[in-house]
């Protein structure tokens, strides 16, 4: 790539095509914020995908980053592009450590899949099973963490941007019941708290994110939504 082409890309307007609840969008939003680069955000309704969105998102998913008129899709690819083109660098400079970070980014995606399986579990037995699988994932993650406050110590990295949306789910889950996800993972609890306090993480979602997420969770035909409805009935009975 020529120096002129690279400079043109860095100066191109950036638009993050997003969905209000998508955790993968949050990754890209956090990285953009950490780069202190201005960008526009354009939300789409994934249940009613407009034609313009289908044209820029071959997989029909968010996020998509529009660099000028050029779309980049898939959150990991977007984050890598941003780190290649904009300072400060969030990935480690050492190639081996960079590869390690990329591997844990994939682990973060696997945890998100486990979260979806948890909130879609059809009955209590499946809910408990999916809960236990997540706890096992967190035990694995706990074993790799150091002193913190972030994944690699004092330096915020793309791995942190990946796990911040993961942990944000549990702020909502804990409003429903005490599932004990982090009872045996003190370093994970500290990491979660450090990420929740970071401005880029806080700004990655709208102020009403948790309310929207709870509405989404309650709309599922799942064991978790059944618990939510039971909680609402109990609260109403107490008030009466």
């Amino acid at each position: 790539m020529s120096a002129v082409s690279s400079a043109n890309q860095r100066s191109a307007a950036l638009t993050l095509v997003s969905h209000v609840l998508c955790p993968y969008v949050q990754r890209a939003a956090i990285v953009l914020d950490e780069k202190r680069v201005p960008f526009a955000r354009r939300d789409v309704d994934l249940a009613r995908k407009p034609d313009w969105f289908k044209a820029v998102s071959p997989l029909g998913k968010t996020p998509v980053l529009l660099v000028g008129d050029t779309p980049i899709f898939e959150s990991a690819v977007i984050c890598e592009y941003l780190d290649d083109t904009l300072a400060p660098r969030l990935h480690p400079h050492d190639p081996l450590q960079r590869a390690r970070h990329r591997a844990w980014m994939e682990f973060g995606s696997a945890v998100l899949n486990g979260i979806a399986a948890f909130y879609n579990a059809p009955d209590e037995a499946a809910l408990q099973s999916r809960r236990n699988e997540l706890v096992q994932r967190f035990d694995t993650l706990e074993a790799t963490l150091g002193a913190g406050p972030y994944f690699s110590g004092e330096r915020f990295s793309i791995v942190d941007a990946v796990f911040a949306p993961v942990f944000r789910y549990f702020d909502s889950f804990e409003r429903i019941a005490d599932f004990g996800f982090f009872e045996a993972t003190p370093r994970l609890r500290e990491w979660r708290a450090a990420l929740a306090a970071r401005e880029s993480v806080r700004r990655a979602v709208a102020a009403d994110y948790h309310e929207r997420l709870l509405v989404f969770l309650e709309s599922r035909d799942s064991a978790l939504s059944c618990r939510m409805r039971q909680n609402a009935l109990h609260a109403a009975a107490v008030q009466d």
Side-chain angles (χ1 to χ4, degrees):
M1 181 184 296
S2 70
V4 172
S5 176
S6 178
N8 287 341
Q9 287 191 21
R10 287 195 295 270
S11 63
L14 301 177
T15 301
L16 182 63
V17 183
S18 68
H19 180 272
V20 290
L21 295 180
C22 178
Y24 296 96
V25 167
Q26 294 177 49
R27 296 179 177 184
I30 291 167
V31 171
L32 283 161
D33 200 330
E34 290 289 334
K35 301 288 185 178
R36 299 294 188 265
V37 60
F39 67 99
R41 193 157 175 172
R42 187 174 183 182
D43 289 337
V44 296
D45 182 351
L46 294 178
R48 300 176 182 82
K49 298 171 185 174
D51 290 340
W52 69 263
F53 175 70
K54 295 175 185 177
V56 301
S57 180
L59 298 177
K61 300 188 299 185
T62 55
V64 176
L65 182 69
L66 297 177
V67 184
D69 295 326
T70 302
I72 304 172
F73 56 96
E74 287 297 298
S75 64
V77 178
I78 291 170
C79 292
E80 295 284 354
Y81 167 77
L82 293 171
D83 214 42
D84 285 344
T85 57
L86 297 168
R89 192 71 187 266
L90 299 180
H91 263 325
H93 294 284
D94 177 74
L96 181 59
Q97 289 303 311
R98 193 159 61 245
R100 178 175 175 269
H101 276 225
R102 286 170 174 152
W104 283 105
M105 289 167 63
E106 286 298 311
F107 188 89
S109 295
V111 175
L112 282 175
N113 290 336
I115 288 171
F118 173 77
Y119 66 65
N120 284 312
D123 53 47
E124 283 293 327
L127 187 72
Q128 186 63 33
S129 179
R130 300 293 87 80
R131 177 264 179 200
N132 293 343
E133 289 169 2
L134 284 168
V135 168
Q136 290 174 4
R137 296 275 192 189
F138 292 146
D139 287 343
T140 299
L141 192 55
E142 175 83 359
T144 198
L145 292 177
Y150 301 117
F151 181 79
S152 287
E154 296 290 334
R155 187 172 180 270
F156 187 91
S157 68
I158 296 180
V159 178
D160 296 292
V162 166
F163 276 94
V166 169
F167 294 140
R168 200 192 308 270
Y169 271 105
F170 296 89
D171 297 342
S172 293
F173 293 156
E174 288 165 359
R175 297 187 187 186
I176 302 169
D178 181 7
F179 294 101
F181 281 108
F182 305 103
E183 287 179 352
T185 52
R187 282 177 290 191
L188 213 60
R189 291 197 301 269
E190 292 175 0
W191 185 28
R192 178 188 174 191
L195 292 177
R198 195 167 179 96
E199 285 300 315
S200 63
V201 173
R202 295 160 66 97
R203 287 191 290 255
V205 296
D208 63 348
Y209 167 84
H210 287 293
E211 286 68 26
R212 286 175 177 261
L213 180 58
L214 289 169
V215 169
F216 168 78
L217 294 174
E218 192 169 3
S219 72
R220 318 301 290 174
D221 185 16
S222 69
L224 192 66
S225 65
C226 183
R227 283 201 187 199
M228 295 176 73
R229 288 190 287 272
Q230 289 172 350
N231 289 349
L233 289 172
H234 177 72
V238 169
Q239 288 181 353
D240 290 343

